[in-house]
Amino acid sequence: MIEARRLHILRAVADHRTVTAAAAALYLTPSAVSQQLTALEQETGHRLVERGAKGVRLTPAGEILLGHTNAVLAQLERAEAELAAYGSGEAGTVTVAAFATGIAQVVAPAVARLAGTAPGIRIRVQDAEGDASLPMVLDRQVDVAVAVEYRGAPSADDPRLTHVPLYAEPFDAVVPVGHRLADSPEVPLAELAKDPWIGPYPGNPCHDVVVLACESAGFQPRLEHSSDDFRAVVALASADAGVALVPRSALRGMDLSDVVVRPVDGVAPTRRVFAAVRRGAEGHPLIRPVLAALGGAAGG
């Protein structure tokens, strides 16, 4: 009989592509992961993984088993949720990973809501960029991710996850006060093609939004300065170091006296924020109120 914990290890290896990375995510040693994979191959009677110079990949038999693994693990999440509901499940801790402005926008208000509606639920918040929080959910390091759509992100129909849309917000153009477009009511992105740019590092979902918006306007942005902290991005723009696109909520409470903030002409680049949990866990009596509070805080 196949052990469920070995299926979880198989999925971690498929997600992380190396035994070492999967082991780190699961808080196991690489040798323990290898031993469990070997045991799983013995249980199934099939070779499931192939090791190469660039890491590990699943064999055709491994891919077949992975498809069933997603369904099995989702069903186990549902079983845990129903058992927790049977035992009332009114008190416990839920860990939420979210990026900084997501914490300010929806997580902190959700914590305040839950204090009144579900006082037995304790929320633990971890700051994590939108691309980091989803692997943390899949690796069971956290229960809920507040994440951003980005290239390469698991899609809304990914069998491993349940997505709950929260909100969408536009990016505004931030330019120095002396910039040639500072007096324009809206900023056409194509007019910024020759400017130096300030933006997040590659891998940050907001980097993808900026690059895709510029590509749609017909150019590749010349990113001369990089920071994942939007306060630093605005500070550099105020020093006339370049131009930037910044999510509107990230600009709240900042000193904008030395920059000009303008909406983008035409279709504004947008980041779409959602909550995600392991598929099947959305009905858990601790997680369900958290998702509802996040949706309420987002105006959903």
Side-chain angles (χ1 to χ4, degrees), residues 171-233:
F171 281 59
D172 289 325
V174 178
V175 301
V177 290
H179 193 273
R180 63 188 180 283
L181 297 177
D183 293 330
S184 301
E186 295 181 332
V187 172
L189 282 185
E191 296 295 319
L192 302 177
K194 295 183 179 180
D195 286 82
W197 278 74
I198 312 156
Y201 284 100
N204 185 315
C206 290
H207 174 89
D208 285 348
V209 174
V210 172
V211 171
L212 284 171
C214 293
E215 288 175 351
S216 297
F219 70 97
Q220 284 281 341
R222 180 162 52 91
L223 283 162
E224 292 200 355
H225 311 284
S226 298
S227 175
D228 289 334
D229 185 336
F230 286 115
R231 291 185 181 275
V233 170

Short mmCIF file of all heavy atoms in Angstrom, two decimals, residues 171-233:
data_model
loop_
_atom_site.label_atom_id
_atom_site.label_comp_id
_atom_site.label_asym_id
_atom_site.label_seq_id
_atom_site.Cartn_x
_atom_site.Cartn_y
_atom_site.Cartn_z
N PHE A 171 -1.06 49.98 -11.43
CA PHE A 171 0.24 50.60 -11.19
C PHE A 171 0.18 52.03 -11.72
O PHE A 171 -0.36 52.27 -12.81
CB PHE A 171 1.34 49.85 -11.92
CG PHE A 171 1.80 48.58 -11.25
CD1 PHE A 171 0.91 47.55 -11.01
CD2 PHE A 171 3.12 48.41 -10.89
CE1 PHE A 171 1.32 46.38 -10.41
CE2 PHE A 171 3.56 47.24 -10.30
CZ PHE A 171 2.66 46.22 -10.05
N ASP A 172 0.75 52.96 -10.98
CA ASP A 172 0.85 54.34 -11.43
C ASP A 172 2.29 54.64 -11.83
O ASP A 172 3.24 54.04 -11.30
CB ASP A 172 0.42 55.30 -10.32
CG ASP A 172 -1.08 55.27 -10.08
OD1 ASP A 172 -1.84 55.09 -11.05
OD2 ASP A 172 -1.50 55.41 -8.92
N ALA A 173 2.44 55.58 -12.73
CA ALA A 173 3.78 56.03 -13.13
C ALA A 173 4.30 57.01 -12.09
O ALA A 173 3.57 57.90 -11.63
CB ALA A 173 3.72 56.69 -14.50
N VAL A 174 5.56 56.84 -11.70
CA VAL A 174 6.23 57.74 -10.75
C VAL A 174 7.43 58.34 -11.46
O VAL A 174 8.33 57.60 -11.90
CB VAL A 174 6.66 56.99 -9.48
CG1 VAL A 174 7.40 57.93 -8.53
CG2 VAL A 174 5.46 56.37 -8.78
N VAL A 175 7.44 59.65 -11.60
CA VAL A 175 8.53 60.33 -12.31
C VAL A 175 9.04 61.48 -11.44
O VAL A 175 8.32 61.99 -10.58
CB VAL A 175 8.06 60.87 -13.68
CG1 VAL A 175 7.55 59.74 -14.56
CG2 VAL A 175 7.01 61.95 -13.52
N PRO A 176 10.30 61.92 -11.63
CA PRO A 176 10.81 63.07 -10.88
C PRO A 176 10.00 64.34 -11.19
O PRO A 176 9.39 64.46 -12.26
CB PRO A 176 12.25 63.20 -11.38
CG PRO A 176 12.59 61.85 -11.96
CD PRO A 176 11.31 61.31 -12.51
N VAL A 177 10.01 65.28 -10.25
CA VAL A 177 9.21 66.50 -10.44
C VAL A 177 9.65 67.29 -11.66
O VAL A 177 8.85 68.01 -12.27
CB VAL A 177 9.27 67.40 -9.18
CG1 VAL A 177 8.52 66.76 -8.03
CG2 VAL A 177 10.71 67.69 -8.79
N GLY A 178 10.93 67.19 -12.05
CA GLY A 178 11.40 67.93 -13.21
C GLY A 178 11.30 67.17 -14.52
O GLY A 178 11.81 67.62 -15.55
N HIS A 179 10.63 66.01 -14.50
CA HIS A 179 10.54 65.17 -15.70
C HIS A 179 9.70 65.87 -16.77
O HIS A 179 8.77 66.62 -16.47
CB HIS A 179 9.93 63.82 -15.34
CG HIS A 179 10.06 62.78 -16.39
ND1 HIS A 179 9.15 62.63 -17.42
CD2 HIS A 179 11.01 61.82 -16.60
CE1 HIS A 179 9.51 61.63 -18.18
NE2 HIS A 179 10.64 61.12 -17.72
N ARG A 180 10.02 65.59 -18.01
CA ARG A 180 9.32 66.25 -19.13
C ARG A 180 7.83 65.91 -19.17
O ARG A 180 7.03 66.66 -19.78
CB ARG A 180 9.98 65.85 -20.45
CG ARG A 180 9.88 64.36 -20.77
CD ARG A 180 10.70 63.96 -21.99
NE ARG A 180 10.59 62.54 -22.29
CZ ARG A 180 11.23 61.60 -21.62
NH1 ARG A 180 12.05 61.92 -20.63
NH2 ARG A 180 11.06 60.32 -21.96
N LEU A 181 7.41 64.80 -18.56
CA LEU A 181 6.00 64.42 -18.56
C LEU A 181 5.31 64.73 -17.24
O LEU A 181 4.18 64.30 -17.02
CB LEU A 181 5.86 62.92 -18.87
CG LEU A 181 6.36 62.46 -20.25
CD1 LEU A 181 6.22 60.95 -20.39
CD2 LEU A 181 5.59 63.16 -21.36
N ALA A 182 5.98 65.47 -16.36
CA ALA A 182 5.43 65.72 -15.03
C ALA A 182 4.10 66.48 -15.08
O ALA A 182 3.27 66.32 -14.18
CB ALA A 182 6.44 66.49 -14.18
N ASP A 183 3.88 67.26 -16.11
CA ASP A 183 2.65 68.05 -16.19
C ASP A 183 1.55 67.33 -16.98
O ASP A 183 0.44 67.86 -17.11
CB ASP A 183 2.94 69.40 -16.85
CG ASP A 183 3.82 70.29 -15.97
OD1 ASP A 183 3.74 70.15 -14.73
OD2 ASP A 183 4.58 71.10 -16.52
N SER A 184 1.84 66.15 -17.47
CA SER A 184 0.82 65.41 -18.24
C SER A 184 -0.21 64.81 -17.29
O SER A 184 0.15 64.29 -16.23
CB SER A 184 1.48 64.29 -19.05
OG SER A 184 2.44 64.82 -19.94
N PRO A 185 -1.49 64.85 -17.65
CA PRO A 185 -2.51 64.24 -16.78
C PRO A 185 -2.38 62.73 -16.71
O PRO A 185 -2.71 62.11 -15.71
CB PRO A 185 -3.83 64.66 -17.42
CG PRO A 185 -3.50 64.98 -18.85
CD PRO A 185 -2.10 65.50 -18.83
N GLU A 186 -1.90 62.11 -17.79
CA GLU A 186 -1.63 60.68 -17.84
C GLU A 186 -0.30 60.47 -18.55
O GLU A 186 0.11 61.29 -19.37
CB GLU A 186 -2.74 59.93 -18.58
CG GLU A 186 -4.09 59.99 -17.88
CD GLU A 186 -5.15 59.20 -18.64
OE1 GLU A 186 -5.02 59.07 -19.88
OE2 GLU A 186 -6.10 58.72 -18.00
N VAL A 187 0.36 59.37 -18.23
CA VAL A 187 1.68 59.10 -18.81
C VAL A 187 1.61 57.95 -19.80
O VAL A 187 1.28 56.82 -19.42
CB VAL A 187 2.71 58.76 -17.70
CG1 VAL A 187 4.03 58.31 -18.32
CG2 VAL A 187 2.93 59.96 -16.80
N PRO A 188 1.88 58.20 -21.08
CA PRO A 188 1.98 57.10 -22.05
C PRO A 188 3.30 56.35 -21.82
O PRO A 188 4.38 56.94 -21.86
CB PRO A 188 1.98 57.80 -23.41
CG PRO A 188 1.63 59.23 -23.13
CD PRO A 188 2.05 59.51 -21.73
N LEU A 189 3.21 55.05 -21.59
CA LEU A 189 4.42 54.29 -21.29
C LEU A 189 5.44 54.36 -22.42
O LEU A 189 6.65 54.38 -22.16
CB LEU A 189 4.07 52.82 -21.00
CG LEU A 189 3.48 52.51 -19.63
CD1 LEU A 189 3.31 51.01 -19.48
CD2 LEU A 189 4.36 53.06 -18.52
N ALA A 190 4.98 54.40 -23.65
CA ALA A 190 5.91 54.44 -24.78
C ALA A 190 6.82 55.66 -24.73
O ALA A 190 7.95 55.63 -25.25
CB ALA A 190 5.14 54.42 -26.10
N GLU A 191 6.36 56.72 -24.06
CA GLU A 191 7.16 57.93 -23.95
C GLU A 191 8.32 57.78 -22.95
O GLU A 191 9.18 58.65 -22.84
CB GLU A 191 6.28 59.11 -23.53
CG GLU A 191 5.22 59.49 -24.56
CD GLU A 191 5.82 60.00 -25.84
OE1 GLU A 191 6.81 60.77 -25.77
OE2 GLU A 191 5.34 59.62 -26.93
N LEU A 192 8.31 56.68 -22.21
CA LEU A 192 9.36 56.44 -21.21
C LEU A 192 10.38 55.42 -21.69
O LEU A 192 11.21 54.95 -20.92
CB LEU A 192 8.74 55.96 -19.89
CG LEU A 192 7.72 56.89 -19.24
CD1 LEU A 192 7.13 56.24 -17.98
CD2 LEU A 192 8.36 58.23 -18.88
N ALA A 193 10.34 55.08 -22.98
CA ALA A 193 11.19 54.01 -23.50
C ALA A 193 12.67 54.30 -23.34
O ALA A 193 13.47 53.38 -23.14
CB ALA A 193 10.85 53.77 -24.97
N LYS A 194 13.07 55.57 -23.42
CA LYS A 194 14.49 55.90 -23.35
C LYS A 194 14.95 56.31 -21.95
O LYS A 194 16.14 56.61 -21.76
CB LYS A 194 14.80 57.01 -24.36
CG LYS A 194 14.60 56.57 -25.81
CD LYS A 194 14.99 57.66 -26.78
CE LYS A 194 14.82 57.21 -28.23
NZ LYS A 194 15.20 58.26 -29.19
N ASP A 195 14.03 56.33 -21.00
CA ASP A 195 14.39 56.72 -19.63
C ASP A 195 15.07 55.56 -18.89
O ASP A 195 14.78 54.38 -19.17
CB ASP A 195 13.14 57.11 -18.85
CG ASP A 195 12.60 58.46 -19.25
OD1 ASP A 195 11.89 58.55 -20.27
OD2 ASP A 195 12.88 59.43 -18.54
N PRO A 196 15.93 55.87 -17.92
CA PRO A 196 16.37 54.82 -17.00
C PRO A 196 15.21 54.44 -16.08
O PRO A 196 14.38 55.29 -15.74
CB PRO A 196 17.51 55.49 -16.22
CG PRO A 196 17.22 56.95 -16.32
CD PRO A 196 16.55 57.18 -17.64
N TRP A 197 15.16 53.17 -15.69
CA TRP A 197 14.04 52.68 -14.89
C TRP A 197 14.53 52.19 -13.52
O TRP A 197 15.67 51.79 -13.35
CB TRP A 197 13.33 51.54 -15.61
CG TRP A 197 12.36 52.03 -16.64
CD1 TRP A 197 12.65 52.57 -17.85
CD2 TRP A 197 10.93 52.04 -16.53
NE1 TRP A 197 11.50 52.91 -18.50
CE2 TRP A 197 10.43 52.59 -17.72
CE3 TRP A 197 10.04 51.61 -15.54
CZ2 TRP A 197 9.06 52.75 -17.95
CZ3 TRP A 197 8.68 51.75 -15.77
CH2 TRP A 197 8.20 52.33 -16.96
N ILE A 198 13.60 52.25 -12.57
CA ILE A 198 13.82 51.72 -11.21
C ILE A 198 12.72 50.69 -10.98
O ILE A 198 11.55 50.97 -11.25
CB ILE A 198 13.71 52.83 -10.15
CG1 ILE A 198 14.51 54.06 -10.55
CG2 ILE A 198 14.12 52.32 -8.79
CD1 ILE A 198 14.00 55.35 -9.91
N GLY A 199 13.09 49.51 -10.52
CA GLY A 199 12.04 48.51 -10.33
C GLY A 199 12.48 47.34 -9.48
O GLY A 199 13.65 47.24 -9.07
N PRO A 200 11.54 46.44 -9.19
CA PRO A 200 11.85 45.26 -8.39
C PRO A 200 12.80 44.31 -9.11
O PRO A 200 12.97 44.37 -10.33
CB PRO A 200 10.48 44.60 -8.18
CG PRO A 200 9.48 45.66 -8.50
CD PRO A 200 10.12 46.53 -9.53
N TYR A 201 13.40 43.43 -8.34
CA TYR A 201 14.31 42.43 -8.90
C TYR A 201 13.53 41.38 -9.71
O TYR A 201 12.36 41.11 -9.42
CB TYR A 201 15.07 41.71 -7.78
CG TYR A 201 16.19 42.51 -7.17
CD1 TYR A 201 16.00 43.17 -5.95
CD2 TYR A 201 17.43 42.61 -7.79
CE1 TYR A 201 17.03 43.91 -5.38
CE2 TYR A 201 18.46 43.34 -7.23
CZ TYR A 201 18.25 43.99 -6.02
OH TYR A 201 19.26 44.72 -5.46
N PRO A 202 14.16 40.77 -10.70
CA PRO A 202 13.54 39.63 -11.37
C PRO A 202 13.18 38.55 -10.34
O PRO A 202 13.92 38.30 -9.40
CB PRO A 202 14.64 39.13 -12.33
CG PRO A 202 15.49 40.35 -12.59
CD PRO A 202 15.48 41.11 -11.28
N GLY A 203 12.02 37.95 -10.53
CA GLY A 203 11.51 36.98 -9.56
C GLY A 203 10.40 37.57 -8.72
O GLY A 203 9.50 36.86 -8.29
N ASN A 204 10.46 38.88 -8.49
CA ASN A 204 9.36 39.56 -7.82
C ASN A 204 8.20 39.67 -8.81
O ASN A 204 8.40 40.11 -9.95
CB ASN A 204 9.81 40.94 -7.37
CG ASN A 204 8.77 41.68 -6.55
OD1 ASN A 204 7.59 41.70 -6.88
ND2 ASN A 204 9.21 42.29 -5.46
N PRO A 205 6.97 39.28 -8.43
CA PRO A 205 5.85 39.36 -9.38
C PRO A 205 5.66 40.76 -9.96
O PRO A 205 5.23 40.90 -11.11
CB PRO A 205 4.65 38.94 -8.52
CG PRO A 205 5.23 38.04 -7.49
CD PRO A 205 6.58 38.63 -7.17
N CYS A 206 5.96 41.80 -9.19
CA CYS A 206 5.80 43.16 -9.71
C CYS A 206 6.79 43.45 -10.84
O CYS A 206 6.52 44.28 -11.72
CB CYS A 206 5.95 44.18 -8.59
SG CYS A 206 4.56 44.17 -7.42
N HIS A 207 7.94 42.79 -10.81
CA HIS A 207 8.91 42.93 -11.92
C HIS A 207 8.26 42.47 -13.22
O HIS A 207 8.39 43.13 -14.25
CB HIS A 207 10.16 42.11 -11.61
CG HIS A 207 11.15 42.07 -12.75
ND1 HIS A 207 12.14 43.00 -12.91
CD2 HIS A 207 11.28 41.20 -13.78
CE1 HIS A 207 12.85 42.72 -13.99
NE2 HIS A 207 12.35 41.64 -14.53
N ASP A 208 7.54 41.35 -13.15
CA ASP A 208 6.86 40.84 -14.34
C ASP A 208 5.82 41.82 -14.86
O ASP A 208 5.69 42.03 -16.07
CB ASP A 208 6.19 39.49 -14.04
CG ASP A 208 7.19 38.35 -13.95
OD1 ASP A 208 8.35 38.55 -14.34
OD2 ASP A 208 6.81 37.27 -13.48
N VAL A 209 5.05 42.42 -13.93
CA VAL A 209 4.02 43.38 -14.35
C VAL A 209 4.65 44.55 -15.10
O VAL A 209 4.17 44.98 -16.15
CB VAL A 209 3.21 43.87 -13.14
CG1 VAL A 209 2.23 44.98 -13.55
CG2 VAL A 209 2.45 42.73 -12.48
N VAL A 210 5.74 45.08 -14.53
CA VAL A 210 6.42 46.23 -15.15
C VAL A 210 6.96 45.86 -16.53
O VAL A 210 6.75 46.58 -17.52
CB VAL A 210 7.55 46.74 -14.23
CG1 VAL A 210 8.39 47.80 -14.95
CG2 VAL A 210 6.98 47.31 -12.94
N VAL A 211 7.67 44.75 -16.61
CA VAL A 211 8.28 44.35 -17.89
C VAL A 211 7.22 44.06 -18.94
O VAL A 211 7.34 44.49 -20.10
CB VAL A 211 9.21 43.13 -17.68
CG1 VAL A 211 9.68 42.58 -19.02
CG2 VAL A 211 10.41 43.52 -16.83
N LEU A 212 6.16 43.36 -18.56
CA LEU A 212 5.10 43.05 -19.52
C LEU A 212 4.41 44.31 -20.02
O LEU A 212 4.07 44.43 -21.20
CB LEU A 212 4.09 42.09 -18.89
CG LEU A 212 4.52 40.63 -18.76
CD1 LEU A 212 3.52 39.85 -17.93
CD2 LEU A 212 4.68 40.00 -20.13
N ALA A 213 4.19 45.28 -19.11
CA ALA A 213 3.56 46.54 -19.52
C ALA A 213 4.43 47.29 -20.51
O ALA A 213 3.93 47.82 -21.52
CB ALA A 213 3.29 47.40 -18.28
N CYS A 214 5.72 47.32 -20.25
CA CYS A 214 6.63 48.01 -21.16
C CYS A 214 6.72 47.27 -22.50
O CYS A 214 6.75 47.90 -23.57
CB CYS A 214 8.01 48.16 -20.53
SG CYS A 214 8.05 49.26 -19.10
N GLU A 215 6.77 45.94 -22.45
CA GLU A 215 6.80 45.17 -23.69
C GLU A 215 5.55 45.43 -24.53
O GLU A 215 5.62 45.55 -25.76
CB GLU A 215 6.93 43.68 -23.38
CG GLU A 215 8.31 43.28 -22.86
CD GLU A 215 8.37 41.81 -22.47
OE1 GLU A 215 7.30 41.16 -22.43
OE2 GLU A 215 9.48 41.32 -22.18
N SER A 216 4.40 45.55 -23.85
CA SER A 216 3.15 45.84 -24.58
C SER A 216 3.20 47.23 -25.21
O SER A 216 2.53 47.48 -26.22
CB SER A 216 1.95 45.73 -23.63
OG SER A 216 1.81 44.42 -23.14
N ALA A 217 3.99 48.13 -24.59
CA ALA A 217 4.14 49.48 -25.14
C ALA A 217 5.23 49.55 -26.20
O ALA A 217 5.50 50.62 -26.75
CB ALA A 217 4.44 50.47 -24.02
N GLY A 218 5.90 48.42 -26.45
CA GLY A 218 6.86 48.36 -27.55
C GLY A 218 8.31 48.50 -27.18
O GLY A 218 9.15 48.75 -28.06
N PHE A 219 8.67 48.33 -25.91
CA PHE A 219 10.08 48.46 -25.55
C PHE A 219 10.41 47.62 -24.33
O PHE A 219 9.52 47.19 -23.59
CB PHE A 219 10.43 49.93 -25.28
CG PHE A 219 9.82 50.50 -24.02
CD1 PHE A 219 10.55 50.56 -22.83
CD2 PHE A 219 8.51 50.99 -24.02
CE1 PHE A 219 10.00 51.09 -21.68
CE2 PHE A 219 7.95 51.53 -22.88
CZ PHE A 219 8.68 51.58 -21.69
N GLN A 220 11.70 47.39 -24.13
CA GLN A 220 12.21 46.73 -22.94
C GLN A 220 12.71 47.81 -21.99
O GLN A 220 13.54 48.63 -22.38
CB GLN A 220 13.37 45.79 -23.29
CG GLN A 220 12.94 44.48 -23.93
CD GLN A 220 12.41 43.48 -22.92
OE1 GLN A 220 12.67 43.61 -21.73
NE2 GLN A 220 11.69 42.49 -23.39
N PRO A 221 12.25 47.85 -20.75
CA PRO A 221 12.71 48.90 -19.83
C PRO A 221 14.19 48.72 -19.48
O PRO A 221 14.66 47.60 -19.28
CB PRO A 221 11.83 48.70 -18.59
CG PRO A 221 11.44 47.26 -18.64
CD PRO A 221 11.30 46.93 -20.09
N ARG A 222 14.90 49.82 -19.44
CA ARG A 222 16.33 49.80 -19.08
C ARG A 222 16.43 49.96 -17.56
O ARG A 222 16.51 51.06 -17.02
CB ARG A 222 17.07 50.93 -19.81
CG ARG A 222 18.56 51.02 -19.51
CD ARG A 222 19.26 51.85 -20.58
NE ARG A 222 18.65 53.15 -20.79
CZ ARG A 222 18.99 54.26 -20.13
NH1 ARG A 222 19.97 54.23 -19.22
NH2 ARG A 222 18.40 55.41 -20.38
N LEU A 223 16.39 48.83 -16.87
CA LEU A 223 16.37 48.84 -15.40
C LEU A 223 17.78 49.08 -14.86
O LEU A 223 18.61 48.18 -14.85
CB LEU A 223 15.81 47.53 -14.87
CG LEU A 223 14.28 47.39 -14.96
CD1 LEU A 223 13.86 45.94 -14.83
CD2 LEU A 223 13.61 48.24 -13.90
N GLU A 224 18.03 50.28 -14.41
CA GLU A 224 19.34 50.63 -13.89
C GLU A 224 19.44 50.50 -12.39
O GLU A 224 20.53 50.37 -11.85
CB GLU A 224 19.69 52.08 -14.31
CG GLU A 224 19.92 52.24 -15.80
CD GLU A 224 20.71 53.50 -16.12
OE1 GLU A 224 21.00 54.28 -15.19
OE2 GLU A 224 21.04 53.68 -17.31
N HIS A 225 18.30 50.54 -11.70
CA HIS A 225 18.29 50.45 -10.24
C HIS A 225 17.23 49.44 -9.82
O HIS A 225 16.13 49.44 -10.37
CB HIS A 225 17.97 51.81 -9.61
CG HIS A 225 18.80 52.94 -10.15
ND1 HIS A 225 20.12 53.13 -9.80
CD2 HIS A 225 18.50 53.90 -11.06
CE1 HIS A 225 20.59 54.19 -10.44
NE2 HIS A 225 19.63 54.67 -11.21
N SER A 226 17.57 48.59 -8.86
CA SER A 226 16.66 47.53 -8.45
C SER A 226 16.46 47.53 -6.94
O SER A 226 17.42 47.62 -6.17
CB SER A 226 17.20 46.15 -8.89
OG SER A 226 17.30 46.08 -10.30
N SER A 227 15.20 47.43 -6.53
CA SER A 227 14.85 47.27 -5.13
C SER A 227 13.44 46.71 -5.04
O SER A 227 12.56 47.09 -5.82
CB SER A 227 14.91 48.62 -4.38
OG SER A 227 14.45 48.46 -3.04
N ASP A 228 13.23 45.80 -4.09
CA ASP A 228 11.90 45.26 -3.84
C ASP A 228 11.13 46.13 -2.85
O ASP A 228 9.97 45.85 -2.55
CB ASP A 228 11.99 43.83 -3.29
CG ASP A 228 12.43 42.83 -4.36
OD1 ASP A 228 12.19 43.10 -5.56
OD2 ASP A 228 13.00 41.79 -4.01
N ASP A 229 11.77 47.16 -2.33
CA ASP A 229 11.14 48.08 -1.38
C ASP A 229 10.68 49.31 -2.17
O ASP A 229 11.49 50.08 -2.69
CB ASP A 229 12.15 48.49 -0.30
CG ASP A 229 11.53 49.36 0.78
OD1 ASP A 229 10.52 50.03 0.51
OD2 ASP A 229 12.08 49.37 1.90
N PHE A 230 9.36 49.51 -2.25
CA PHE A 230 8.85 50.62 -3.06
C PHE A 230 9.17 51.98 -2.46
O PHE A 230 9.20 52.98 -3.18
CB PHE A 230 7.35 50.46 -3.29
CG PHE A 230 7.03 49.37 -4.29
CD1 PHE A 230 6.34 48.23 -3.89
CD2 PHE A 230 7.44 49.48 -5.60
CE1 PHE A 230 6.06 47.23 -4.80
CE2 PHE A 230 7.17 48.48 -6.52
CZ PHE A 230 6.47 47.35 -6.11
N ARG A 231 9.44 52.05 -1.17
CA ARG A 231 9.89 53.32 -0.61
C ARG A 231 11.25 53.70 -1.19
O ARG A 231 11.52 54.87 -1.49
CB ARG A 231 9.96 53.24 0.92
CG ARG A 231 8.60 53.14 1.59
CD ARG A 231 8.69 53.18 3.09
NE ARG A 231 7.38 53.06 3.68
CZ ARG A 231 6.53 54.06 3.87
NH1 ARG A 231 6.90 55.29 3.53
NH2 ARG A 231 5.34 53.88 4.39
N ALA A 232 12.11 52.70 -1.36
CA ALA A 232 13.42 52.95 -1.97
C ALA A 232 13.25 53.33 -3.44
O ALA A 232 13.97 54.20 -3.95
CB ALA A 232 14.30 51.70 -1.84
N VAL A 233 12.31 52.69 -4.13
CA VAL A 233 12.05 53.02 -5.54
C VAL A 233 11.63 54.49 -5.67
O VAL A 233 12.14 55.23 -6.52
CB VAL A 233 10.96 52.09 -6.11
CG1 VAL A 233 10.51 52.58 -7.49
CG2 VAL A 233 11.48 50.65 -6.20
#
